[in-house]
Amino acid sequence: MILTHKTVSLADQVFDRLESDILSGVYKRGEILTELKLCEALGVSRTPVREAMKRLEQEHIIEDCGKGMRVLSITAEDAACIYEIRSRVEGMAAAACARNISPEDLNAMRELVDLQAFYAERGDSDRVKTLDSEFHEMIYRCSGSAVLYDTLVPLHKKVQKFRKAAVEQRSRAEESVAEHKAVYAAIASKNPEEAERVMNAHVASARDRLARGLAASEKGAE
């Protein structure tokens, strides 16, 4: 299963695994999860599973339905709302990052952008999505604000299946990489105002890509 990181509690490992599986669509919306089912699937005892499920319920990712916990996941409407919030807030983190980032972290950020471009060119959507998460979370961390970090990391995680769908098309992945390069350039130039502007534009662009994708899916289903 996942029990390899000794510095992370078992309950935290179970939570991270279940959250990822639910948000990426391994467990579908409406599916019923029980402690016994998850214990068998993950190879752990009931205590960490119970703790993880309580946290998932608090995050409104699952809900008690009497027979177990029903998967809520994140709807397209939820994702659109999350992107709207991020398009207004995430620029604050980029601006703070431009003011506070160290030379070492700036070099690491450049490596992330270069790697993302490398894998986008090769159509490796899984690696692009992973690097996308690392890029954004690095900005949140380097903002120096625990409030921004704790607000934005969960929001970014909750739209992971929609982000994966976006980067599976090479043109969209390359567009996202180009936007990341613009964000990096603004941060590297220590320009908080420009970093805020291009980051908010980047998230708004992702929001608009999601809207177009959903509209196309609905039209195709007609």
Side-chain angles (χ1 to χ4, degrees), residues 1-21 27 38-45 48-49 52 55:
M1 178 239 167
I2 51 175
L3 314 182
T4 56
H5 305 293
K6 300 301 183 181
T7 58
V8 179
S9 75
L10 186 56
D12 286 340
Q13 292 183 60
V14 171
F15 172 81
D16 289 343
R17 171 66 177 271
L18 291 177
E19 179 188 47
S20 178
D21 284 350
Y27 296 114
L38 294 175
C39 289
E40 292 176 348
L42 301 177
V44 297
S45 66
V49 168
R55 289 176 60 188

Side-chain angles (χ1 to χ4, degrees), residues 29 72-80 82 159 161-162 210 214:
R29 184 174 179 85
L72 298 176
S73 189
I74 301 296
T75 67
E77 291 75 17
D78 294 333
I82 289 170
V159 291
K161 73 176 180 181
F162 297 98
L210 170 65
L214 293 174

Side-chain angles (χ1 to χ4, degrees), residues 119-138:
Y119 287 111
E121 177 71 20
R122 284 152 182 77
D124 190 335
S125 61
D126 287 335
R127 293 299 296 271
V128 171
K129 182 174 73 73
T130 297
L131 291 163
D132 174 89
S133 294
E134 292 180 10
F135 176 80
H136 282 270
E137 290 190 24
M138 186 173 194

Side-chain angles (χ1 to χ4, degrees), residues 56-85:
L56 291 167
E57 186 176 16
Q58 291 169 354
E59 294 279 343
H60 304 292
I61 295 174
I62 60 176
E63 66 177 0
D64 191 351
C65 66
K67 300 177 182 178
M69 304 301 288
R70 179 186 293 113
V71 173
L72 298 176
S73 189
I74 301 296
T75 67
E77 291 75 17
D78 294 333
C81 184
I82 289 170
Y83 273 113
E84 184 64 32
I85 293 169

Side-chain angles (χ1 to χ4, degrees), residues 135-156:
F135 176 80
H136 282 270
E137 290 190 24
M138 186 173 194
I139 288 173
Y140 309 155
R141 176 175 58 79
C142 292
S143 73
S145 169
V147 173
L148 286 172
Y149 183 89
D150 292 342
T151 299
L152 289 167
V153 167
L155 292 178
H156 195 264

